Short mmCIF file of all heavy atoms in Angstrom, two decimals:
data_model
loop_
_atom_site.label_atom_id
_atom_site.label_comp_id
_atom_site.label_asym_id
_atom_site.label_seq_id
_atom_site.Cartn_x
_atom_site.Cartn_y
_atom_site.Cartn_z
N LEU A 860 20.57 -6.15 -8.42
CA LEU A 860 21.84 -6.82 -8.30
C LEU A 860 22.98 -5.94 -8.41
O LEU A 860 24.00 -6.12 -7.63
CB LEU A 860 21.94 -7.90 -9.48
CG LEU A 860 20.94 -9.03 -9.42
CD1 LEU A 860 21.09 -9.95 -10.66
CD2 LEU A 860 21.03 -9.82 -8.12
N GLN A 861 22.96 -4.89 -9.18
CA GLN A 861 24.05 -3.82 -9.17
C GLN A 861 24.13 -3.15 -7.86
O GLN A 861 25.21 -2.92 -7.28
CB GLN A 861 23.73 -2.89 -10.32
CG GLN A 861 23.94 -3.40 -11.68
CD GLN A 861 23.28 -2.62 -12.80
OE1 GLN A 861 22.70 -1.54 -12.57
NE2 GLN A 861 23.25 -3.22 -13.94
N ALA A 862 22.96 -2.91 -7.25
CA ALA A 862 23.00 -2.28 -5.87
C ALA A 862 23.61 -3.21 -4.83
O ALA A 862 24.36 -2.82 -3.96
CB ALA A 862 21.57 -1.85 -5.50
N ALA A 863 23.34 -4.49 -4.97
CA ALA A 863 23.96 -5.47 -4.11
C ALA A 863 25.45 -5.48 -4.24
O ALA A 863 26.24 -5.62 -3.26
CB ALA A 863 23.36 -6.92 -4.44
N VAL A 864 25.98 -5.39 -5.40
CA VAL A 864 27.38 -5.33 -5.65
C VAL A 864 27.99 -4.05 -5.12
O VAL A 864 29.04 -4.12 -4.48
CB VAL A 864 27.71 -5.46 -7.19
CG1 VAL A 864 29.16 -5.21 -7.54
CG2 VAL A 864 27.31 -6.81 -7.75
N ARG A 865 27.34 -2.89 -5.35
CA ARG A 865 27.78 -1.69 -4.70
C ARG A 865 27.88 -1.75 -3.22
O ARG A 865 28.82 -1.22 -2.65
CB ARG A 865 26.95 -0.55 -5.13
CG ARG A 865 27.12 -0.04 -6.58
CD ARG A 865 26.46 1.29 -6.85
NE ARG A 865 25.10 1.29 -6.64
CZ ARG A 865 24.12 0.95 -7.47
NH1 ARG A 865 24.50 0.53 -8.67
NH2 ARG A 865 22.86 0.93 -7.14
N ALA A 866 27.05 -2.51 -2.64
CA ALA A 866 27.04 -2.70 -1.15
C ALA A 866 28.01 -3.72 -0.69
O ALA A 866 28.15 -3.97 0.50
CB ALA A 866 25.57 -3.08 -0.65
N GLY A 867 28.72 -4.42 -1.60
CA GLY A 867 29.68 -5.44 -1.28
C GLY A 867 29.12 -6.76 -0.96
O GLY A 867 29.85 -7.69 -0.48
N ARG A 868 27.81 -6.96 -1.14
CA ARG A 868 27.22 -8.19 -0.75
C ARG A 868 27.46 -9.32 -1.69
O ARG A 868 27.18 -10.48 -1.35
CB ARG A 868 25.64 -7.96 -0.57
CG ARG A 868 25.43 -7.04 0.59
CD ARG A 868 23.97 -6.78 0.80
NE ARG A 868 23.81 -5.80 1.85
CZ ARG A 868 23.02 -4.73 1.72
NH1 ARG A 868 22.34 -4.51 0.57
NH2 ARG A 868 22.94 -3.82 2.65
N ASP A 869 28.04 -9.02 -2.80
CA ASP A 869 28.46 -10.13 -3.80
C ASP A 869 29.62 -10.95 -3.15
O ASP A 869 29.90 -12.08 -3.68
CB ASP A 869 28.77 -9.55 -5.11
CG ASP A 869 29.91 -8.49 -5.07
OD1 ASP A 869 29.95 -7.76 -4.08
OD2 ASP A 869 30.79 -8.58 -6.00
N ARG A 870 30.30 -10.44 -2.17
CA ARG A 870 31.36 -11.21 -1.52
C ARG A 870 30.73 -12.33 -0.62
O ARG A 870 31.44 -13.24 -0.19
CB ARG A 870 32.13 -10.22 -0.64
CG ARG A 870 32.96 -9.19 -1.41
CD ARG A 870 33.96 -8.51 -0.64
NE ARG A 870 33.35 -7.60 0.36
CZ ARG A 870 33.01 -6.37 0.24
NH1 ARG A 870 33.30 -5.80 -0.99
NH2 ARG A 870 32.52 -5.67 1.16
N GLU A 871 29.47 -12.26 -0.24
CA GLU A 871 28.79 -13.21 0.58
C GLU A 871 28.21 -14.35 -0.14
O GLU A 871 27.87 -15.35 0.41
CB GLU A 871 27.72 -12.46 1.46
CG GLU A 871 28.21 -11.28 2.19
CD GLU A 871 29.22 -11.57 3.31
OE1 GLU A 871 29.40 -12.88 3.66
OE2 GLU A 871 29.84 -10.62 3.76
N GLY A 872 27.94 -14.16 -1.50
CA GLY A 872 27.38 -15.24 -2.31
C GLY A 872 27.35 -14.91 -3.72
O GLY A 872 27.70 -13.77 -4.10
N ARG A 873 27.06 -15.78 -4.59
CA ARG A 873 27.10 -15.67 -6.01
C ARG A 873 25.67 -15.02 -6.47
O ARG A 873 24.65 -15.55 -6.12
CB ARG A 873 27.33 -16.92 -6.74
CG ARG A 873 27.39 -16.84 -8.20
CD ARG A 873 27.86 -18.05 -8.89
NE ARG A 873 27.79 -17.82 -10.33
CZ ARG A 873 27.71 -18.81 -11.21
NH1 ARG A 873 27.65 -20.07 -10.78
NH2 ARG A 873 27.64 -18.54 -12.51
N LEU A 874 25.77 -13.93 -7.17
CA LEU A 874 24.56 -13.21 -7.68
C LEU A 874 24.30 -13.66 -9.09
O LEU A 874 25.18 -13.66 -9.98
CB LEU A 874 24.70 -11.76 -7.60
CG LEU A 874 25.02 -11.12 -6.29
CD1 LEU A 874 25.21 -9.67 -6.36
CD2 LEU A 874 23.80 -11.41 -5.34
N LEU A 875 23.02 -13.98 -9.36
CA LEU A 875 22.57 -14.34 -10.74
C LEU A 875 21.39 -13.65 -11.19
O LEU A 875 20.51 -13.46 -10.35
CB LEU A 875 22.22 -15.85 -10.77
CG LEU A 875 23.33 -16.89 -10.38
CD1 LEU A 875 22.78 -18.25 -10.21
CD2 LEU A 875 24.48 -16.82 -11.35
N LEU A 876 21.42 -13.13 -12.42
CA LEU A 876 20.23 -12.53 -12.96
C LEU A 876 19.37 -13.69 -13.49
O LEU A 876 19.76 -14.41 -14.46
CB LEU A 876 20.60 -11.62 -14.07
CG LEU A 876 19.45 -10.90 -14.81
CD1 LEU A 876 18.74 -9.97 -13.88
CD2 LEU A 876 19.96 -10.16 -16.08
N ALA A 877 18.24 -14.00 -12.91
CA ALA A 877 17.40 -15.09 -13.29
C ALA A 877 15.96 -14.90 -12.76
O ALA A 877 15.72 -14.09 -11.90
CB ALA A 877 17.95 -16.41 -12.83
N ASP A 878 15.14 -15.73 -13.23
CA ASP A 878 13.70 -15.70 -12.88
C ASP A 878 13.31 -16.77 -12.06
O ASP A 878 13.67 -18.02 -12.35
CB ASP A 878 12.86 -15.71 -14.21
CG ASP A 878 11.37 -15.58 -14.01
OD1 ASP A 878 10.90 -15.54 -12.84
OD2 ASP A 878 10.68 -15.49 -15.00
N VAL A 879 12.69 -16.58 -10.87
CA VAL A 879 12.32 -17.67 -10.05
C VAL A 879 11.31 -18.65 -10.66
O VAL A 879 11.15 -19.79 -10.20
CB VAL A 879 11.77 -17.27 -8.60
CG1 VAL A 879 12.80 -16.45 -7.90
CG2 VAL A 879 10.52 -16.50 -8.80
N ALA A 880 10.69 -18.26 -11.83
CA ALA A 880 9.81 -19.14 -12.45
C ALA A 880 10.53 -20.17 -13.30
O ALA A 880 9.92 -21.25 -13.66
CB ALA A 880 8.96 -18.34 -13.47
N ALA A 881 11.84 -19.96 -13.55
CA ALA A 881 12.63 -20.93 -14.31
C ALA A 881 14.07 -20.83 -13.83
O ALA A 881 14.98 -20.23 -14.37
CB ALA A 881 12.59 -20.63 -15.83
N LEU A 882 14.30 -21.56 -12.69
CA LEU A 882 15.62 -21.38 -12.06
C LEU A 882 16.71 -22.16 -12.78
O LEU A 882 16.40 -23.30 -13.17
CB LEU A 882 15.58 -21.89 -10.59
CG LEU A 882 14.72 -21.00 -9.71
CD1 LEU A 882 14.40 -21.75 -8.35
CD2 LEU A 882 15.39 -19.67 -9.43
N PRO A 883 17.88 -21.74 -12.94
CA PRO A 883 18.93 -22.36 -13.64
C PRO A 883 19.77 -23.31 -12.65
O PRO A 883 20.95 -23.26 -12.58
CB PRO A 883 19.84 -21.20 -14.08
CG PRO A 883 19.75 -20.19 -13.05
CD PRO A 883 18.28 -20.27 -12.52
N LEU A 884 18.93 -24.14 -12.02
CA LEU A 884 19.50 -25.12 -10.99
C LEU A 884 18.89 -26.49 -11.18
O LEU A 884 17.71 -26.64 -11.67
CB LEU A 884 19.17 -24.62 -9.55
CG LEU A 884 19.70 -23.18 -9.21
CD1 LEU A 884 19.11 -22.79 -7.90
CD2 LEU A 884 21.23 -23.35 -9.06
N ARG A 885 19.67 -27.48 -10.91
CA ARG A 885 19.16 -28.85 -11.10
C ARG A 885 18.22 -29.31 -9.95
O ARG A 885 18.27 -28.58 -8.84
CB ARG A 885 20.29 -29.82 -11.18
CG ARG A 885 21.18 -29.90 -10.00
CD ARG A 885 22.28 -30.93 -10.11
NE ARG A 885 23.25 -30.89 -9.07
CZ ARG A 885 23.11 -31.32 -7.78
NH1 ARG A 885 22.03 -31.93 -7.42
NH2 ARG A 885 24.05 -31.15 -6.92
N ARG A 886 17.46 -30.23 -10.18
CA ARG A 886 16.47 -30.72 -9.10
C ARG A 886 17.24 -31.09 -7.86
O ARG A 886 18.23 -31.83 -7.89
CB ARG A 886 15.78 -31.91 -9.69
CG ARG A 886 14.71 -32.57 -8.75
CD ARG A 886 13.96 -33.63 -9.49
NE ARG A 886 13.33 -33.26 -10.68
CZ ARG A 886 12.09 -32.59 -10.74
NH1 ARG A 886 11.43 -32.40 -9.62
NH2 ARG A 886 11.58 -32.18 -11.86
N GLY A 887 16.72 -30.65 -6.71
CA GLY A 887 17.34 -30.98 -5.42
C GLY A 887 18.68 -30.49 -5.16
O GLY A 887 19.30 -31.00 -4.21
N ALA A 888 19.04 -29.42 -5.83
CA ALA A 888 20.39 -28.85 -5.68
C ALA A 888 20.61 -28.16 -4.32
O ALA A 888 21.67 -27.95 -3.86
CB ALA A 888 20.72 -27.93 -6.82
N LEU A 889 19.50 -27.71 -3.69
CA LEU A 889 19.67 -26.89 -2.56
C LEU A 889 19.11 -27.50 -1.27
O LEU A 889 18.22 -28.44 -1.32
CB LEU A 889 18.86 -25.56 -2.73
CG LEU A 889 19.25 -24.75 -4.00
CD1 LEU A 889 18.20 -23.57 -4.21
CD2 LEU A 889 20.65 -24.13 -3.91
N ASP A 890 19.53 -26.97 -0.22
CA ASP A 890 18.95 -27.38 1.14
C ASP A 890 17.89 -26.37 1.57
O ASP A 890 16.99 -26.89 2.38
CB ASP A 890 20.08 -27.42 2.25
CG ASP A 890 21.22 -28.41 1.90
OD1 ASP A 890 20.89 -29.58 1.96
OD2 ASP A 890 22.30 -27.99 1.60
N ALA A 891 17.86 -25.22 1.11
CA ALA A 891 16.82 -24.25 1.54
C ALA A 891 16.78 -23.06 0.62
O ALA A 891 17.71 -22.79 -0.11
CB ALA A 891 17.12 -23.85 2.95
N VAL A 892 15.60 -22.36 0.73
CA VAL A 892 15.36 -21.19 -0.02
C VAL A 892 14.85 -20.08 0.98
O VAL A 892 13.97 -20.36 1.78
CB VAL A 892 14.30 -21.37 -1.13
CG1 VAL A 892 13.93 -19.99 -1.73
CG2 VAL A 892 14.80 -22.34 -2.16
N PHE A 893 15.41 -18.96 0.94
CA PHE A 893 14.93 -17.69 1.63
C PHE A 893 14.32 -16.81 0.63
O PHE A 893 14.91 -16.53 -0.44
CB PHE A 893 16.09 -17.11 2.33
CG PHE A 893 15.77 -15.90 3.18
CD1 PHE A 893 15.42 -16.04 4.49
CD2 PHE A 893 15.76 -14.67 2.65
CE1 PHE A 893 15.03 -14.92 5.24
CE2 PHE A 893 15.50 -13.54 3.40
CZ PHE A 893 15.10 -13.61 4.68
N ALA A 894 13.11 -16.25 1.00
CA ALA A 894 12.42 -15.36 0.00
C ALA A 894 11.83 -14.24 0.78
O ALA A 894 10.81 -14.41 1.51
CB ALA A 894 11.48 -16.10 -0.82
N ALA A 895 12.35 -13.01 0.69
CA ALA A 895 11.87 -11.88 1.35
C ALA A 895 10.98 -11.05 0.42
O ALA A 895 11.50 -10.68 -0.67
CB ALA A 895 13.08 -11.02 1.91
N GLY A 896 9.72 -10.90 0.82
CA GLY A 896 8.83 -10.11 0.01
C GLY A 896 8.49 -10.58 -1.33
O GLY A 896 7.99 -9.87 -2.23
N LEU A 897 8.76 -11.89 -1.57
CA LEU A 897 8.63 -12.38 -2.89
C LEU A 897 7.18 -12.78 -3.32
O LEU A 897 6.75 -12.53 -4.45
CB LEU A 897 9.52 -13.69 -2.99
CG LEU A 897 9.49 -14.32 -4.43
CD1 LEU A 897 10.21 -13.51 -5.42
CD2 LEU A 897 10.24 -15.69 -4.26
N VAL A 898 6.49 -13.41 -2.42
CA VAL A 898 5.13 -13.99 -2.81
C VAL A 898 4.21 -13.01 -3.46
O VAL A 898 3.61 -13.30 -4.46
CB VAL A 898 4.49 -14.55 -1.51
CG1 VAL A 898 3.09 -15.01 -1.83
CG2 VAL A 898 5.27 -15.72 -0.94
N ALA A 899 4.18 -11.75 -2.99
CA ALA A 899 3.37 -10.77 -3.66
C ALA A 899 3.66 -10.39 -5.09
O ALA A 899 2.86 -9.97 -5.81
CB ALA A 899 3.27 -9.51 -2.80
#
Side-chain angles (χ1 to χ4, degrees):
L860 294 176
Q861 291 161 6
V864 171
R865 284 194 302 274
R868 296 183 184 125
D869 57 321
R870 294 189 294 268
E871 308 294 344
R873 183 170 176 205
L874 298 175
L875 300 170
L876 180 65
D878 184 353
V879 298
L882 293 167
L884 300 169
R885 64 179 168 76
R886 182 176 300 278
L889 303 172
D890 296 295
V892 172
F893 180 88
L897 181 69
V898 172

